[in-house]
């Protein structure tokens, strides 16, 4: 099946890298939102030749290139086709059913992790008690992991003394583990000897999100192993890539971005989109709430071209655009 070809994957990744390069260079002349909409959130991008040359040369012309949505669609199709062709279900009976249930539970857990991480900063801030307990748990987990690694290395060293000379081929991995164990031991001792050295609240919040994400990943990995066997890691990795691609598509289609600019001592009750314009008429006669009537800039432009007035039933007057 052509869509499942690994060569197609490599070609699509190469095209994506080139598109990212062109979009990065285009930001010399345009803002990031122009590049996002004209290069990445579009089916076909028209890339100016000028972006690849010094601006003093004044190179004209442009050429069409697959946009972000087109490359994303082909990559998603290639990913699904590859899974259907190469990744076969190996689990049977109860193992298959239990693995499927674990995957479903992992998906629900992942959704919960994403939703809890989307809360506003105030609500999602960890309490002082929870932060303190989390920091102590992290220190003891680091110390326990260090002791466990040291125990495994000691057993490995003891067994190597009685094994054949072939065991020396893996000596480099033992020494690498010993170095890692020594570094972890030094870090653990330093953390326990310096109680004031700890992550701040923001760092602990990030660590807590990573812990929740890691737990979700372990549940999904266990389910994938029961269903797909040795290819569980690849299946899970590709599923993560698919989730990232879907997230970008959903963001591009539904997200509305705005900013709230607040000067010191000022009170602001609105957010604004600096990339679009509109005429807002505000009736403040009601002390409880404002009555706002909004006329988009596109409608004002049409009124200016047609020499017509803009009327709205909420307004006691008509709007005529003179310029």
């Amino acid at each position: 099946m052509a869509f499942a070809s690994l060569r197609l994957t490599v070609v699509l990744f190469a095209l994506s890298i080139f598109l990212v390069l062109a979009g990065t260079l285009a930001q010399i002349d345009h803002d990031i939102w122009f590049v996002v909409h004209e290069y990445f959130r579009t089916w076909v991008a028209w890339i100016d030749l000028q972006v690849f040359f010094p601006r003093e040369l004044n190179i004209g012309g442009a050429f069409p290139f697959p946009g972000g949505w087109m490359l994303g669609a082909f990559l998603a199709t290639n990913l699904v086709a590859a899974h259907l062709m190469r990744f076969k279900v190996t689990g049977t009976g109860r193992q298959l059913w239990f693995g499927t249930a674990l995957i479903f539970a992992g998906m629900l857990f992942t959704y919960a992790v994403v939703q809890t991480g989307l809360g506003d900063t105030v609500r999602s801030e960890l309490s002082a008690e929870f932060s303190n307990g989390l920091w102590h748990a992290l220190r003891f987990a680091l110390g326990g992991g260090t002791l466990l690694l040291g125990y495994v290395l000691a057993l490995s060293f003891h067994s190597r003394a009685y094994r054949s000379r072939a065991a020396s081929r893996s000596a480099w991995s033992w020494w690498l583990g010993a170095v890692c164990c020594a570094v972890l031991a030094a870090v653990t001792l330093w953390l326990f000897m310096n109680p004031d050295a700890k992550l701040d609240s923001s760092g602990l919040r990030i660590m807590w999100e990573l812990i929740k994400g890691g737990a979700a990943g372990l549940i999904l990995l266990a389910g994938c192993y029961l269903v797909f066997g040795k290819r569980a890691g690849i299946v899970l990795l590709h599923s993560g890539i698919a989730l990232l691609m879907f997230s970008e598509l959903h963001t591009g289609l539904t997200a509305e971005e705005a900013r709230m600019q607040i000067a010191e001592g000022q009170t602001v009750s609105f957010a604004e989109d600096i990339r679009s314009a509109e005429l807002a008429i505000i009736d403040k006669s009601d002390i409880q709430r404002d009555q706002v009537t909004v006329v988009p800039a596109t409608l004002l432009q049409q009124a200016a071209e047609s020499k017509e007035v803009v009327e709205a039933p909420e307004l006691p007057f008509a709007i005529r655009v003179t310029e």
Side-chain angles (χ1 to χ4, degrees), residues 163-176:
R163 279 191 287 176
S164 61
R165 193 173 64 180
S168 62
R169 298 175 183 174
S170 60
W172 65 271
S173 60
W174 188 92
W175 282 107
L176 179 61

Side-chain angles (χ1 to χ4, degrees), residues 12-89:
L12 291 174
F13 273 124
L15 293 176
S16 302
I17 292 173
F18 181 82
L19 181 65
V20 171
L21 172 64
T24 303
L25 295 175
Q27 292 182 50
I28 298 176
D29 307 304
H30 304 283
D31 63 83
I32 187 172
W33 288 108
F34 176 89
V35 175
V36 166
H37 291 291
E38 298 298 327
Y39 283 71
F40 303 128
R41 294 178 182 173
T42 183
W43 289 99
V44 178
W46 284 90
I47 301 178
D48 296 325
L49 292 173
Q50 180 67 68
V51 302
F52 303 104
F53 298 94
R55 299 307 184 260
E56 296 80 11
L57 297 180
N58 195 21
I59 304 296
F63 62 92
F65 195 82
W69 280 358
M70 181 180 293
L71 292 175
F74 277 108
L75 281 169
T77 304
N78 175 255
L79 185 62
V80 173
H83 274 265
L84 294 176
M85 291 289 294
R86 300 189 183 94
F87 297 92
K88 305 299 182 181
V89 174

Side-chain angles (χ1 to χ4, degrees), residues 151-284:
Y151 178 73
V152 172
L153 290 173
L155 288 180
S156 176
F157 180 80
H158 185 266
S159 61
R160 284 176 61 241
Y162 298 97
R163 279 191 287 176
S164 61
R165 193 173 64 180
S168 62
R169 298 175 183 174
S170 60
W172 65 271
S173 60
W174 188 92
W175 282 107
L176 179 61
V179 172
C180 293
C181 184
V183 173
L184 290 175
V187 173
T188 303
L189 288 174
W190 183 78
L191 289 177
F192 276 97
M193 294 175 62
N194 296 272
D196 295 332
K198 60 178 295 185
L199 291 174
D200 57 13
S201 58
S202 298
L204 286 172
R205 180 173 179 268
I206 294 173
M207 184 63 68
W208 176 237
E209 296 298 328
L210 291 175
I211 292 173
K212 293 189 295 183
L218 289 176
I219 297 174
L220 289 169
L221 182 61
C224 289
Y225 182 79
L226 293 175
V227 175
F228 297 101
K230 295 181 179 180
R231 291 180 176 264
I234 301 178
V235 173
L236 182 58
L237 185 64
H238 285 182
S239 300
I241 295 174
L243 180 61
L244 288 174
M245 295 172 64
F246 173 77
S247 175
E248 167 57 24
L249 176 63
H250 184 266
T251 301
L253 293 176
T254 63
E256 296 182 7
E257 301 196 27
R259 74 174 187 178
M260 180 178 287
Q261 185 171 342
I262 308 175
E264 184 176 356
Q266 183 185 17
T267 299
V268 177
S269 60
F270 64 90
E272 59 179 336
D273 182 359
I274 63 174
R275 296 175 298 278
S276 61
E278 62 188 12
L279 174 63
I281 298 97
I282 306 176
D283 181 4
K284 294 180 174 290

